[in-house]
Amino acid sequence: MIMMAKEGKNIAVVTDAGTPVISDPGNLLVQALRENEIEYTLIPGACAFVAALVLSGFPADKFAFLGFLRGKKGEKKDYLKKYASFEGTLVFYSAPQDVDADILLLAEAFGDRDACAVREITKMHESVEYFKLGEGLSGEKRGEYVLIVAGAAERENPLNALTEIE
């Protein structure tokens, strides 16, 4: 594809699975374009995590999109610890075969926070389900999920505790 672009041909990356580059290998193409100093642009389109965040009704003024949890269980736990005191909404992707284990890890890392699972966005079986992390998600797991988790309460943030002591 890079060679074709260097020859002056117009190239388009089109997907039926949301915005290219978000949690997929499309970022490799963008990096190669930059490395080869080839100009490119974007035609914005659907983005599952943005749509799910809006559908959830959770605060969207400050959020962190963390994508799929990757690695072994210990690596995932270490990764999640970094976000335990983040006061904004947290957004994750999860495959149906991983969603229960992912929710369990989120509950271990963040406690029993409010959460929302959105799946099959814009499709006939679209669903938005609210639950507590400690209770897990009920029902049969089908389709790709976007998990939205409430941010840390102010009292959970250790920096706020330091301010109160002064």
Side-chain angles (χ1 to χ4, degrees), residues 69 73 76-77 80 94 98-113 115 131-137 141 147 149:
L69 294 175
K73 188 175 181 180
K76 291 177 185 179
K77 282 184 174 184
L80 292 172
S94 187
D98 300 327
V99 71
D100 289 328
D102 286 349
I103 290 170
L104 183 59
L105 278 173
L106 295 173
E108 289 174 17
F110 306 135
D112 197 22
R113 294 188 192 175
F131 63 100
K132 291 281 198 180
L133 287 177
E135 297 169 4
L137 184 62
K141 308 308 184 292
L147 300 174
V149 179

Side-chain angles (χ1 to χ4, degrees), residues 74-135:
E75 294 169 320
K76 291 177 185 179
K77 282 184 174 184
D78 289 342
Y79 177 71
L80 292 172
K81 283 180 192 176
K82 298 175 192 176
Y83 295 92
S85 62
F86 181 69
E87 292 178 8
T89 302
L90 298 168
V91 184
F92 302 88
Y93 282 161
S94 187
Q97 68 272 15
D98 300 327
V99 71
D100 289 328
D102 286 349
I103 290 170
L104 183 59
L105 278 173
L106 295 173
E108 289 174 17
F110 306 135
D112 197 22
R113 294 188 192 175
D114 289 332
C116 179
V118 182
R119 68 179 185 89
E120 300 297 302
I121 299 167
T122 72
K123 298 178 183 172
M124 184 169 55
H125 298 291
E126 175 179 285
S127 69
V128 179
E129 185 175 343
Y130 299 92
F131 63 100
K132 291 281 198 180
L133 287 177
E135 297 169 4

Side-chain angles (χ1 to χ4, degrees), residues 50-60 89 116 118 128 130 148:
V50 172
L53 179 59
V54 171
L55 284 169
S56 76
F58 281 44
T89 302
C116 179
V118 182
V128 179
Y130 299 92
I148 297 99

